[in-house]
Amino acid sequence: LMNGLLVLLLSSGIVYATPADSVRDITISGPVCDGMHGWAYGTYFGDIRKYDYIEEEYFLSGTAQSCQPVNELTGDGRWTVEMQNAEPYETRILVRRPANDDKFNGTVIVEWADMSNGYELTYSEAQGIYENGFAYVSVTADKASVDSLREWDNERYGDLNIPKEDMAYDIFKQAARAIGPQRQTGTKDPMNGLAVKRMIAVGVSDAGSAVLSYANAVQPVDNTFDALIIAVCGGEARDFGSDAHTIGTLVRSDLTVPVMGDCRGLTRTG
């Protein structure tokens, strides 16, 4: 499914998004190498070097705002939210990128790590991702994800902290901007200078519900992603609360980027 959706998106001709603002100041540390286990949670199962790829984990810290609805969350997906009450956070991203510039196709798959089973899962590494030069970044955006990472390896992840679940949307956006086309390529660049041209947001299952909410409320304002893939969420989007409630909705029809998936209402490609 994921490989087919990526092929359709790229063949349809993605029009580059123009982000509305630059990334808020964040601190990037890493690559992270310590911990009880000696490896990152969710590390590649096998030897990613056979594809001439590098896997590295980085910590991101800064301040993020809570995302709150301004009016009723209607079934057409035309939602309006406001960002409130910035608070400090620290989270992680797991990066897999080509070791050499000439292999990179310019596209980063940015996946919202899923917590449906009570621990992080990711789904976007379909056959052809590394063979065809994509970069991949998993983002730990949810408070529950950070809590589970601390439990798995407190020595490595003990300082990670997301105070509120509704900060996840701002954190996801900031993480994407930190590896995107307009990032600051200083001493800590998780992409190691690669020329990023496009970013595709991906969410599956509960994370699909989160990305559906992002598509309807945040993407129209910040325009961070060049395409979105939303899968296995049944057309249910998060309601921005802290109690994991969802609401049935379509993807809003006025987005300027392609949106694809296997959920109700996700049939448009821009």
Side-chain angles (χ1 to χ4, degrees):
L1 170 65
M2 193 61 62
N3 195 44
L5 290 173
L6 287 168
V7 169
L8 284 171
L9 278 173
L10 293 177
S11 63
S12 67
I14 296 176
V15 177
Y16 295 174
T18 304
D21 53 30
S22 60
V23 66
R24 184 177 297 127
D25 288 341
I26 61 174
T27 299
I28 302 174
S29 59
V32 182
C33 300
D34 59 359
M36 297 167 52
H37 301 285
W39 61 83
Y41 182 87
T43 193
Y44 184 80
F45 187 74
D47 187 2
I48 201 169
R49 292 174 297 180
K50 69 182 180 181
Y51 299 111
D52 199 21
Y53 268 65
I54 293 172
E55 177 185 82
E56 293 176 331
E57 182 181 52
Y58 290 86
F59 291 166
L60 308 181
S61 60
T63 60
Q65 294 177 298
S66 297
C67 191
Q68 293 296 319
V70 171
N71 48 24
E72 181 183 358
L73 301 178
T74 54
D76 61 3
R78 291 177 178 252
W79 297 353
T80 302
V81 295
E82 62 181 9
M83 310 304 283
Q84 303 173 349
N85 305 325
E87 295 186 51
Y89 77 90
E90 185 169 2
T91 193
R92 69 130 187 190
I93 58 174
L94 189 60
V95 179
R96 301 183 184 122
R97 56 174 174 78
N100 300 308
D101 296 1
D102 55 2
K103 184 173 182 178
F104 182 46
N105 68 9
T107 299
V108 184
I109 300 166
V110 186
E111 181 169 9
W112 189 310
D114 179 53
M115 275 293 292
S116 296
N117 292 330
Y119 51 87
E120 277 199 356
L121 290 172
T122 55
Y123 306 90
S124 296
E125 294 180 284
Q127 183 178 359
I129 297 299
Y130 302 128
E131 294 88 345
N132 290 296
F134 291 90
Y136 171 83
V137 176
S138 171
V139 179
T140 295
D142 289 318
K143 180 183 185 300
S145 291
V146 161
D147 293 345
S148 72
L149 290 176
R150 288 201 305 264
E151 183 176 347
W152 183 74
D153 190 338
N154 192 63
E155 182 179 323
R156 188 181 186 105
Y157 299 119
D159 290 335
L160 300 190
N161 180 48
I162 297 177
K164 297 177 181 178
E165 194 64 61
D166 57 10
M167 296 167 62
Y169 306 92
D170 196 14
I171 290 171
F172 188 63
K173 175 179 73 173
Q174 290 187 40
R177 297 284 182 86
I179 53 92
Q182 297 183 337
R183 70 190 186 278
Q184 297 178 359
T185 55
T187 56
K188 290 290 184 183
D189 178 13
M191 301 308 294
N192 197 41
L194 291 178
V196 176
K197 298 178 181 178
R198 299 167 293 270
M199 294 192 294
I200 300 175
V202 176
V204 179
S205 191
D206 179 60
S209 294
V211 175
L212 179 52
S213 298
Y214 188 101
N216 283 346
V218 185
Q219 173 69 18
V221 178
D222 68 45
N223 216 29
T224 294
F225 293 100
D226 302 282
L228 302 99
I229 295 176
I230 303 165
V232 199
C233 71
E236 294 288 317
R238 291 187 188 178
D239 67 355
F240 303 100
S242 59
D243 49 9
H245 285 173
T246 60
I247 182 170
T249 182
L250 301 177
V251 64
R252 63 187 300 154
S253 61
D254 59 347
L255 290 174
T256 59
V257 299
V259 185
M260 295 189 69
D262 64 349
C263 297
R264 176 170 56 89
L266 298 181
T267 56
R268 63 181 299 275
T269 56

